[in-house]
Amino acid sequence: MNIDLSHRRAIVSGSTAGIGLAIARGLAAAGAEVVINGRTQARVDEALQLLRSSVPRARVTGVAADLSSAAGSADFIRQVPEADILVNNLGIFEPKGFFDIPDEDWLHFFEVNVMSGVRLARHYARGMRQRNWGRVLFISSESALQIPAEMVHYGMTKTAQLAVSRGLAETLAGTGVTVNSILPGPTRSEGIGGFLASLAQKEGVPVEQMERDFIAEHRPTSLIRRLATVDEVASLAVYLASEQASATTGAALRVDGGVLRSIA
Ligand code: NAD
């Protein structure tokens, strides 16, 4: 299958590292003009350099904006008024027991993980509807369906993304705009990978063993029994952004290594 996105402009939120950076790379390699985003200009510049060195003909630009606030999103939108493909990748996580999560954390997680995507979709999906072509993706998580007891607030935001995604797909029924969610499982991004690498160093064990132990202890239903790579997640995102994926909408697709046991 030849995926050609050379006439499309894509935005990937929170894409200076991890899954977002890999999605930006995949979209750029498929020919799209890609706008990346992070909070600081230094991180954005570093990521742009990485993208240009790994995809020689990449058409990439970047916007430094904190998308966790309405003002940050408005600033981003002012700089990039239109897009054909929107990947709502930005998301934060932090293990914390239910009884220790204060109101501020619930609200902050909702603001970053849910409202960043709502605000961007509310703006960009209008233009997509007018042009009768568009792709909106929400990077949710298997944690949307299998709520982790060690971070219920994170799970709440990931389930909320599925609701927003399905609801927006319903809103855009009959148009050429598709809206889908992706449910990754544990993935070797900067967040998780970095956390396990530093834990491995502290305990003096190889990082591979630390990753295997993490999966065995925290995600025992994994069928691949390893972390996924960011590129494995990005491949699904690039497909969903493609012309070829035009009949897939309103769906929640997994790239979770089989962690979720339910079939439907
Ligand atoms: P990461 O922490 O590796 O990267 C996050 C990116 O977001 C970085 O570029 C960071 O600079 C940027 N960022 C953070 N806060 C920001 C803000 N306020 N404004 C703009 N940019 C900001 O993350 P990741 O692990 O690659 O996760 C990406 C998405 O995938 C998230 O939505 C996460 O919930 C989801 N996910 C990750 C995993 C996993 O195991 N890594 C599993 C399931 C789902």
Side-chain angles (χ1 to χ4, degrees):
M1 187 186 315
N2 178 31
I3 294 180
D4 179 9
L5 295 173
S6 53
H7 297 102
R8 308 294 182 195
R9 176 194 279 166
I11 290 170
V12 187
S13 68
S15 46
T16 57
I19 292 171
L21 181 61
I23 293 174
R25 189 166 52 234
L27 293 171
E33 179 194 335
V34 180
V35 183
I36 63 161
N37 152 257
R39 276 160 301 175
T40 66
Q41 193 61 50
R43 288 278 287 184
V44 168
D45 289 345
E46 200 183 307
L48 285 174
Q49 226 167 31
L50 270 175
L51 289 171
R52 288 182 185 128
S53 62
S54 56
V55 184
R57 283 186 308 281
R59 295 183 297 146
V60 284
T61 53
V63 174
D66 184 343
L67 298 178
S68 67
S69 71
S73 304
D75 182 36
F76 183 93
I77 288 168
R78 205 169 22 77
Q79 297 186 56
V80 187
E82 299 287 353
D84 306 299
I85 298 163
L86 169 64
V87 183
N88 286 311
N89 167 76
L90 173 57
I92 53 169
F93 70 96
E94 182 194 22
K96 203 178 260 191
F98 181 80
F99 296 109
D100 300 321
I101 306 172
D103 285 9
E104 304 83 74
D105 287 18
W106 284 96
L107 295 171
H108 181 59
F109 268 69
F110 191 77
E111 189 84 38
V112 179
N113 292 5
V114 183
M115 287 312 297
S116 63
V118 168
R119 291 183 183 117
L120 295 179
R122 192 168 50 202
H123 174 79
Y124 291 108
R126 275 184 217 268
M128 293 178 196
R129 182 171 56 182
Q130 266 161 21
R131 294 185 296 276
N132 203 34
W133 198 94
R135 300 284 183 260
V136 181
L137 297 179
F138 289 85
I139 307 303
S140 175
S141 169
E142 46 90 13
S143 298
L145 302 180
Q146 211 148 271
I147 311 296
E150 73 276 14
M151 40 184 184
V152 179
H153 55 339
Y154 173 75
M156 172 276 292
T157 64
K158 294 288 138 182
T159 314
Q161 285 183 303
L162 301 188
V164 175
S165 173
R166 177 69 204 188
L168 182 57
E170 299 272 353
T171 304
L172 294 167
T175 73
V177 184
T178 68
V179 187
N180 292 290
S181 301
I182 291 182
L183 278 59
T187 305
R188 196 179 299 112
S189 64
E190 189 175 79
I192 295 270
F195 168 70
L196 292 177
S198 70
L199 214 59
Q201 198 177 25
K202 209 178 326 168
E203 297 190 8
V205 298
V207 70
E208 296 76 20
Q209 186 189 323
M210 185 54 74
E211 289 186 2
R212 271 197 305 275
D213 292 351
F214 171 82
I215 293 290
E217 196 179 329
H218 297 284
R219 294 295 183 274
T221 54
S222 168
L223 299 177
I224 60 173
R225 301 205 174 140
R226 60 172 174 82
L227 297 180
T229 67
V230 290
D231 290 325
E232 286 174 313
V233 177
S235 299
L236 179 57
V238 173
Y239 168 68
L240 288 174
S242 73
E243 197 61 61
Q244 286 93 332
S246 46
T248 300
T249 189
L253 295 110
R254 302 170 185 181
V255 51
D256 69 344
V259 165
L260 290 169
R261 294 192 95 169
S262 60
I263 292 168

